[in-house]
Amino acid sequence: MPHISVRDLTVAYDGHAILSDVTMDIPDRQITAIVGPSGCGKTTFLRCMNRLIDMTDGARVRGEVLIDGANILAPDADVISLRKKMGLLSQKPQPLPMSIYDNVAYGPRLHGTRNKRQLDAIVERYLKLSSLWGEVRERLHAPAARLSVGQQQRLCLARGLAVEPEVLLCDEPCASLDPTSAQHIEKRFVELKQDYTIVLVTHILRQARRLADYIVFFYMGELVEHGPAEQLLNDPRDERTKAYLSGTIS
């Protein structure tokens, strides 16, 4: 059974359909890129996968999102446990108003880790995994807000990884970054997919071509086409996919 399966997922805001009857499996330990024009439902799809959709006023959701066979949209689903499994990297870095160290240690502390030696090891491990350790090791107790935007995004990646999720949900994570910082993040994703399933919303087709193992194309709330990146990018079946890839629709 696939780690993540979506069945007949439909989302409406105040009666207006945003996603309609989406059914698909997401490959394990690969980078799946979600592409499509603005307003096609990409971010809504991502928000369903960790129940952030619950925080959207007027949203109505039906269907199933199955993680390890359990429907996370069920009324009795353990949302706290779910969000531990599903790390989130937002479009704009959102460091917590505390030190660099405390940002990374926040999640482990929340889940019961109190031993300082253990926390020190966790902070070092995930800052290294996010390629930030060498830049901040001498100022771990400085405010995270003093970091550059690119460093803040890598810090948010470290914070998300520190709770040991199974899946990384990434909502246009390079949109606010300079090219060098974006390269840092992309390089980390390629390395991290050995251990994590990564779902990446991107509006940059070049990024999808560089990173994706699997591509999902949404158009006007409909799942038009999905498949291995090489196949979908080079030989799409649907005319709408061809038009999007050629730049005719955007």
Side-chain angles (χ1 to χ4, degrees):
M1 176 182 293
H3 188 50
I4 306 173
S5 296
V6 180
R7 297 290 177 262
D8 302 316
L9 179 65
T10 296
V11 181
Y13 295 155
D14 297 321
H16 175 65
I18 303 298
L19 291 175
S20 299
D21 295 319
V22 174
T23 294
M24 63 172 293
D25 296 330
I26 293 179
D28 296 345
R29 296 191 180 186
Q30 293 186 27
I31 298 176
T32 295
I34 313 290
V35 302
S38 296
C40 69
K42 302 187 298 292
T43 295
T44 296
F45 179 78
L46 209 65
R47 289 171 65 85
C48 288
M49 295 181 68
N50 66 354
R51 291 282 295 267
L52 280 179
I53 195 71
D54 297 3
M55 300 178 184
T56 303
D57 291 338
R60 296 291 179 268
V61 183
R62 66 172 176 81
E64 296 181 326
V65 176
L66 303 170
I67 309 293
D68 298 325
N71 179 22
I72 67 169
L73 298 178
D76 60 349
D78 183 345
V79 177
I80 293 175
S81 175
L82 161 70
R83 289 183 181 151
K84 187 177 185 297
K85 287 185 177 183
M86 313 291 275
L88 177 66
L89 198 61
S90 301
Q91 181 177 128
K92 183 179 179 182
Q94 297 178 333
L96 300 172
M98 52 184 67
S99 71
I100 295 165
Y101 181 102
D102 288 336
N103 262 268
V104 184
Y106 180 83
R109 282 176 174 147
L110 196 66
H111 292 285
T113 303
R114 293 288 183 270
N115 182 280
K116 187 179 186 304
R117 186 173 294 177
Q118 284 182 308
L119 288 170
D120 288 349
I122 288 169
V123 170
E124 180 175 347
R125 177 185 179 189
Y126 289 107
L127 286 174
K128 283 181 175 177
L129 203 55
S130 303
S131 291
L132 192 56
W133 175 254
E135 298 168 43
V136 302
R137 59 185 300 176
E138 302 299 331
R139 49 177 175 143
L140 292 175
H141 298 289
R146 293 183 186 171
L147 296 174
S148 70
V149 173
Q151 289 172 326
Q152 288 182 13
Q153 189 68 308
R154 281 182 280 153
L155 177 65
C156 290
L157 177 59
R159 188 181 71 209
L161 293 173
V163 296
E164 299 183 345
E166 298 172 8
V167 179
L168 289 177
L169 306 176
C170 307
D171 189 5
E172 298 190 22
C174 300
S176 61
L177 305 184
D178 62 87
T180 301
S181 296
Q183 279 186 335
H184 274 299
I185 292 290
E186 289 188 2
K187 184 179 179 182
R188 295 288 76 72
F189 288 163
V190 173
E191 294 170 352
L192 288 168
K193 74 177 181 180
Q194 299 175 47
D195 299 305
Y196 301 89
T197 297
I198 299 175
V199 183
L200 169 71
V201 166
T202 180
H203 68 282
I204 306 170
L205 270 176
R206 294 188 307 279
Q207 185 177 66
R209 291 180 186 276
R210 285 193 299 270
L211 297 181
D213 303 293
Y214 199 84
I215 291 184
V216 178
F217 173 55
F218 282 117
Y219 185 67
M220 297 182 69
E222 179 184 347
L223 173 56
V224 174
E225 192 168 348
H226 60 97
E230 185 174 354
Q231 174 267 311
L232 190 143
L233 291 170
N234 296 319
D235 188 25
R237 298 185 301 273
D238 193 283
E239 291 302 319
R240 291 166 293 179
T241 313
K242 293 176 183 178
Y244 180 73
L245 294 175
S246 68
T248 306
I249 58 175
S250 60

